[in-house]
Amino acid sequence: VSPSRLGRARQELQDLIVKDRQVRLGLIVFASVPHVLSPITEDTNSILSALPAISADLASPTLQGSSLTRALERAENLLAGLPEDSARAILLISDGDFAEPGLQDRVSRLAATGIRLNTLGIGTTNGATLPAPQGGVVVDPADPDRKPVRSALNARLLESLAQAGGGLHVQADFRDSDTDAILAAATVSQLPPEASDARTRIWNERFWLLVLPLVVLLLPQLRGRARRRPTAAETSRGTRS
């Protein structure tokens, strides 16, 4: 894809940030280990300034690979610090070239805690070689011929992960539709019904606090009326009537 898969990912992230500055975002890049490029923050300008730093050089040549499980664990730790009633979601931007067992189960467990997984596919089914941090391309060390490693889009896996995570899968393109769909999906909360009911009850109880200042302001007037005694003329008029 043009200009490259990594460059395209940066463009998609920039579109998401610019289109909605109200969403709190964190940013994790990962190979065989995850690296937190930005904690969850409302300062989207800091994330925008960090986007050019996303490159293959962030991963050590000795730590090549893609461990999505570790990246999900790191994201879960970051999201754990948010209020319980927050709409918590993870957006996975990848070509889906993962060979880890148990990914669907791991994503399903996240969804059970209220963390949705959305996926954004970048790449083509034909695939492409991987640029090496030191230059050239990544080769398969297990291959005696040292053939270049090719990574291709696995849309079926990304769709299955999004389904297991109660989220949405979209294919990256140059239109606004993918960005709009992801932002809409990211604002959906997945709290259990009892949590939603409790939050409604708390809101109703706090609503009554707004009435208290009015009652306090009225009390002096009511007390003033109670202390006022009728005059003799008013008493005699009341007797004649």
Side-chain angles (χ1 to χ4, degrees), residues 105-143:
D105 292 338
R106 182 71 181 88
V107 170
S108 296
R109 290 196 299 271
L110 284 175
T113 65
I115 300 176
R116 293 178 181 266
L117 177 72
N118 303 297
T119 57
L120 177 64
I122 293 182
T124 63
T125 54
N126 293 330
T129 56
L130 305 177
Q134 66 274 20
V137 296
V138 176
V139 297
D140 186 358
D143 188 345

Side-chain angles (χ1 to χ4, degrees), residues 153-181:
L153 176 66
N154 190 343
R156 180 174 297 181
L157 176 60
L158 292 175
E159 289 175 359
S160 66
L161 290 177
Q163 184 177 5
L168 175 73
H169 169 71
V170 294
Q171 179 70 23
D173 55 38
F174 288 103
R175 296 172 297 177
D176 291 336
S177 56
D178 57 347
T179 304
D180 293 338

Side-chain angles (χ1 to χ4, degrees), residues 33-213:
V33 295
H35 175 71
V36 178
L37 200 61
S38 171
I40 297 176
T41 178
E42 295 179 355
D43 183 11
T44 53
N45 287 325
S46 64
I47 298 183
L48 282 174
S49 63
L51 291 183
I54 302 178
S55 67
D57 296 337
L58 290 174
S60 169
T62 61
L63 297 175
Q64 293 297 315
S66 298
S67 177
L68 178 58
T69 300
R70 292 178 180 177
L72 292 175
E73 290 174 355
R74 193 71 184 91
E76 183 180 13
N77 291 336
L78 291 181
L79 290 170
L82 295 180
E84 185 181 359
D85 59 348
S86 299
R88 297 175 294 167
I90 297 172
L91 172 62
L92 171 64
I93 303 178
S94 173
D95 59 10
D97 190 8
F98 303 114
E100 297 176 75
L103 285 178
Q104 279 84 357
D105 292 338
R106 182 71 181 88
V107 170
S108 296
R109 290 196 299 271
L110 284 175
T113 65
I115 300 176
R116 293 178 181 266
L117 177 72
N118 303 297
T119 57
L120 177 64
I122 293 182
T124 63
T125 54
N126 293 330
T129 56
L130 305 177
Q134 66 274 20
V137 296
V138 176
V139 297
D140 186 358
D143 188 345
D145 296 330
R146 307 281 295 176
K147 292 182 179 179
V149 176
R150 295 185 65 86
S151 183
L153 176 66
N154 190 343
R156 180 174 297 181
L157 176 60
L158 292 175
E159 289 175 359
S160 66
L161 290 177
Q163 184 177 5
L168 175 73
H169 169 71
V170 294
Q171 179 70 23
D173 55 38
F174 288 103
R175 296 172 297 177
D176 291 336
S177 56
D178 57 347
T179 304
D180 293 338
I182 289 171
L183 288 173
T187 57
V188 176
S189 179
Q190 194 173 336
L191 283 175
E194 58 270 17
S196 298
D197 293 341
R199 193 166 67 253
T200 301
R201 288 195 299 270
I202 292 173
W203 184 88
N204 285 333
E205 292 169 0
R206 289 178 178 173
F207 172 79
W208 289 105
L209 295 178
L210 299 177
V211 183
L212 291 179

